[in-house]
Structures are given as C-alpha cells and as structure tokens.
Amino acid sequence: MDETDTKPIAFAGPDATTEPDTFAEQARRRAETEREAVEWAVTELESLIAAAGVDLEPLLEYARRSRESMPDRYVRAYEAMAETLDVDPAVYEAYAFAYSDLCDELADEPAADPSRGCTNALVSQPRTTADGPLVLKNRDIAGRGARPKSVVEQPQIDDYHGFLTVDTCGTVMLYKGVNDQGLVAANTYIDANRDDIEPEAQFRNGTVVRRVLEECATVTDARDLLASIPTRQLMAQTLFLADGTDAVLLEVNPLEERIAVDDDGAVARTNHFVLSRSDDTESSRRRRERATDLLESGGDDIDREYLWRIAADHEHGPGDESICRHPEPETDEYAFGQLTTASAAVFEGGSPTVEIAMGNPCETEPMRCSFGDELAMDLRTGGRWLERLHVACDGSTAS
C-alpha cells in the first residue's frame, strides 16, 4: 500500500476532534477541506465554457428540476457547499449536477460511447477466499481531467449511517461506498431510461446509492428501500450490494418496470443489461466479456489482489474498450470527449474499509482506508489527485 508523509487526521470515530451534527455543517466542513481542488476545477471549467461559448441554461434547467427528487438533506448540503466555496455559482451547479452534459458541450466531439462507462464485479462465497463478498468498481467518466477525486468520509448524523468512499470533490451524489455497518453499494449506469418521467420525479442514481448507504444496514434493507420506490421513477443501473453474509446484483430497468436479480458467485457488469433488454455498445460488450472471462479464470480463489488485476487489465486497449481505460493519443488533457478511468475501488462486504486507486489502477498501488481511522489529509482534500494531474501534465509518469 502507498505510504505518505502527509499528516494523518481522523474525521470520524473516537479520534475525531468534533463531529458535525447536521448535513449542512458536514457539507461546509467538506467544502473547506476540498476547497483548493473544487475551486481549481470550477475555475478551469469557467474559462473553458467562456472560450467555447457554451450556453449553461439548458443544463441548469435540468440540474434544478432534478434536485426536486433529492432528499432535503442533500439539497441543504449542496447549498452549504455552494455558500462556502468562492466559485461562479452557475458553473458550480453545472459541475455538481450536469457534468456529463457539460462534457458533451466542451468536447470536440461527444463521447463515442454514450453509456457513460464503468466496469464492476461482484464475487461471493464460495468463489472468494475473503471473509465477505468482494466488490470492484472502476469509475469511468468523461472529462476526468477536471473532475478531482478525494476520499470522502461522513460520520453518522442523526439516524443516518456514516459512509466512506472515493468520489468527486464537491458533489453530494455517490456512486459507490461502504457504510459504518459494512454494507457496500456500487453501480453502473445503463442508457435505458423512460422519457415520460419528468426530472422532478426521477430518482438519480447518485441519490439512490447515497440513500442506500445512509439508510440501510444490510442487503435486505437496501432491497426493501428500492422496492418502496416505483421502479419507473428510478434511473437505469446495475446495483451491486454486499454485506457480511449476503451479496446480489440488481438490474434496475425502469423501461420494463422490473428489477432483475443475479446472485451467482462471480458476476460482472458494464453498461448494458444482461437479464433485461437494453442496447449495448462495442465498449460495454467487450469490457464485460473480458471481465467475465477473468472471473471464470480465477476459480474459487479470487481475492482483493485478483480484483485489482482485473481493474488494471488492458485487453482490447488500453483505450476505450479495455477495463482500464486511458485517453486516446488525440484526446485533450481533460478528456471531455472520451470515457476514461478516473478511480477504482475494491470493497469487502461486512468491513467498513475500502482499497482505492486515484486515476488508472495500472499506474498506482492501491491504498487502504478504514472508516473512523486516521487518513492522510491530501487524500481527503483532493491534493493527491491534483498532484498526480500536474505530474501527468508535465509529461512524467505518476506512481
């Protein structure tokens, strides 16, 4: 694992100096912690938007309408961060709630693969030697060069569970994580959504994953939460869930108003459904086939190290069709027009611990972070991510 000389600090647990008692206070603290990374990203985007003459209003209309489906605590958290940060409010709103659409506007050509990336795998007993089920998530996004990442830890607030993850600085939605009960949730996006649902009534995937982590202690609880929401109002996704004893992959299909279940010992998903109907792209098909082949080759001895080998795999690449996705040579430094790997994480159900890699997992040793433990400040601030970005832009190889 990576070592660092950066002074560690605990944000949750018995070693924390003080813990926030409201979501707004937690958001203000997070905004102060991530200020440098977020203000850098939003300022960069502001210049690029002005140079390209992008009209933000259509993006902001969707962002504002879609916030209506969020719990009030998330809206309060976003507003607290916006008040704390010294950034252009409109650009920050687009960064927080309409980033993929903004990338399409800033790219020379929109991303060829509209499925929005990500390769995930779930391995449970008897296929793993770990104590609990294992979950791998490669987070693939457009515009990764202006999307700083940090380790985000939120303590328990009121009756809501705390969580630990690696995700985008300055946003309130989550796409993976583990909570203080050891429940893991991670998703992949599927381009199979209803067009008859208004944004105000559609529950965004990042909202659903965060609600699962905050409101549920087990896989059964998470499935009950999903069952309480009309499936037609969800966004299409494959949702990976694991606790200390149970694991399941759910194909959430709002078009068919159906949640299909896959609980095999080792499964992989990219950006199309397997048990339900959806379109697939060449990238999505190839990545899933390769991940499935690697899982089959792993036999009954799949451990965390083996999942990291999958995360770093370059078969069919290392461009758009490999699991570990790198920018093509003609892509600009921000990679607005291509989906590339921004981070990777391996979780174990039942354990409030995550192993993370910032950027491409083939280029860095994973770091292990546990809920409530001391953690290097440059991981919390996004400083580690910024440092790696600047090294990469100088033409060096980050390690």
Side-chain angles (χ1 to χ4, degrees):
M1 301 298 169
D2 270 0
E3 300 294 336
T4 178
D5 295 328
T6 305
K7 182 179 179 181
I9 186 171
F11 272 32
D15 296 326
T17 52
T18 59
E19 294 191 358
D21 56 9
T22 69
F23 285 89
E25 175 57 33
Q26 165 66 12
R28 280 189 286 270
R29 177 180 296 190
R30 184 178 166 198
E32 290 288 358
T33 302
E34 299 173 349
R35 178 186 291 277
E36 181 181 358
V38 178
E39 291 183 354
W40 172 85
V42 176
T43 300
E44 285 290 295
L45 290 169
E46 185 178 2
S47 298
L48 293 165
I49 288 166
V54 175
D55 180 8
L56 287 181
E57 276 309 308
L59 281 65
L60 295 179
E61 180 184 5
Y62 168 74
R64 290 162 186 163
R65 293 178 65 190
S66 71
R67 285 213 303 274
E68 294 295 318
S69 67
M70 293 182 177
D72 288 343
R73 64 185 188 271
Y74 298 167
V75 177
R76 292 196 302 270
Y78 164 73
E79 291 173 345
M81 282 198 284
E83 292 168 0
T84 303
L85 297 165
D86 183 16
V87 292
D88 181 279
V91 177
Y92 176 56
E93 189 171 11
Y95 166 87
F97 295 112
Y99 188 72
S100 61
D101 291 332
L102 177 58
C103 287
D104 287 344
E105 295 292 332
L106 291 174
D108 293 334
E109 295 182 6
D113 181 353
S115 59
R116 301 301 178 197
C118 296
T119 301
N120 288 13
L122 171 65
V123 185
S124 55
Q125 282 74 14
R127 296 293 308 278
T128 177
T129 57
D131 292 335
L134 298 177
V135 177
L136 162 69
K137 180 178 176 71
N138 267 26
R139 179 84 193 277
D140 299 345
I141 61 172
R144 72 172 187 178
R147 200 67 163 163
K149 297 288 183 290
S150 66
V151 175
V152 181
E153 182 180 25
Q154 178 167 293
Q156 179 181 358
I157 299 176
D158 297 330
D159 294 329
Y160 297 102
H161 298 296
F163 61 77
L164 177 68
T165 189
V166 55
D167 221 307
T168 300
C169 296
T171 61
V172 297
M173 293 183 288
L174 300 178
Y175 299 94
K176 59 184 174 298
V178 60
N179 69 15
D180 53 18
Q181 304 300 300
L183 174 65
V184 177
N187 87 318
T188 68
Y189 175 82
I190 311 296
D191 191 21
N193 295 291
R194 302 182 70 105
D195 58 11
D196 60 342
I197 300 295
E198 297 297 324
E200 295 89 342
Q202 188 175 53
F203 292 85
R204 297 177 66 156
N205 287 342
T207 299
V208 171
V209 171
R210 181 166 177 173
R211 284 193 62 189
V212 165
L213 293 173
E214 290 181 347
E215 300 176 27
C216 305
T218 65
V219 169
T220 298
D221 293 343
R223 296 182 67 174
D224 287 344
L225 173 61
L226 288 173
S228 72
I229 304 171
T231 305
R232 68 195 305 270
Q233 290 180 246
L234 296 170
M235 295 187 75
Q237 63 174 318
T238 57
L239 183 59
F240 295 68
L241 300 170
D243 58 29
T245 57
D246 196 9
V248 68
L249 185 152
L250 304 177
E251 293 190 354
V252 181
N253 189 336
L255 282 175
E256 296 182 0
E257 299 187 36
R258 174 182 178 227
I259 298 180
V261 177
D262 192 338
D263 56 3
D264 287 344
V267 293
R269 290 294 190 276
T270 47
N271 307 105
H272 63 278
F273 291 133
V274 176
L275 305 178
S276 302
R277 176 179 55 85
S278 71
D279 294 333
D280 66 338
T281 63
E282 187 70 10
S283 169
S284 183
R285 182 184 62 79
R286 284 199 169 198
R287 283 182 287 117
R288 180 182 175 275
E289 287 178 353
R290 176 60 176 169
T292 299
D293 288 345
L294 289 172
L295 289 174
E296 290 176 354
S297 299
D300 294 339
D301 299 314
I302 296 175
D303 56 12
R304 292 171 181 257
E305 183 179 353
Y306 191 81
L307 288 186
W308 280 114
R309 288 169 54 192
I310 295 177
D313 186 74
H314 290 152
E315 185 77 12
H316 309 306
D320 191 58
E321 295 177 1
S322 64
I323 294 173
C324 185
R325 304 169 79 180
H326 294 248
E328 299 289 355
E330 66 273 11
T331 305
D332 61 38
E333 63 182 294
Y334 303 101
F336 288 124
Q338 188 190 349
L339 297 166
T340 55
T341 303
S343 66
V346 172
F347 302 91
E348 181 178 326
S351 172
T353 297
V354 57
E355 291 181 359
I356 65 168
M358 300 281 193
N360 289 96
C362 67
E363 295 177 343
T364 181
E365 284 290 317
M367 299 163 283
R368 182 169 296 180
C369 310
S370 295
F371 185 86
D373 284 354
E374 292 186 343
L375 184 64
M377 194 59 157
D378 67 342
L379 290 174
R380 296 187 186 277
T381 62
R384 183 78 63 93
W385 183 93
L386 281 174
E387 181 182 1
R388 288 180 57 81
L389 175 72
H390 293 152
V391 169
C393 290
D394 289 342
S396 305
T397 301
S399 61

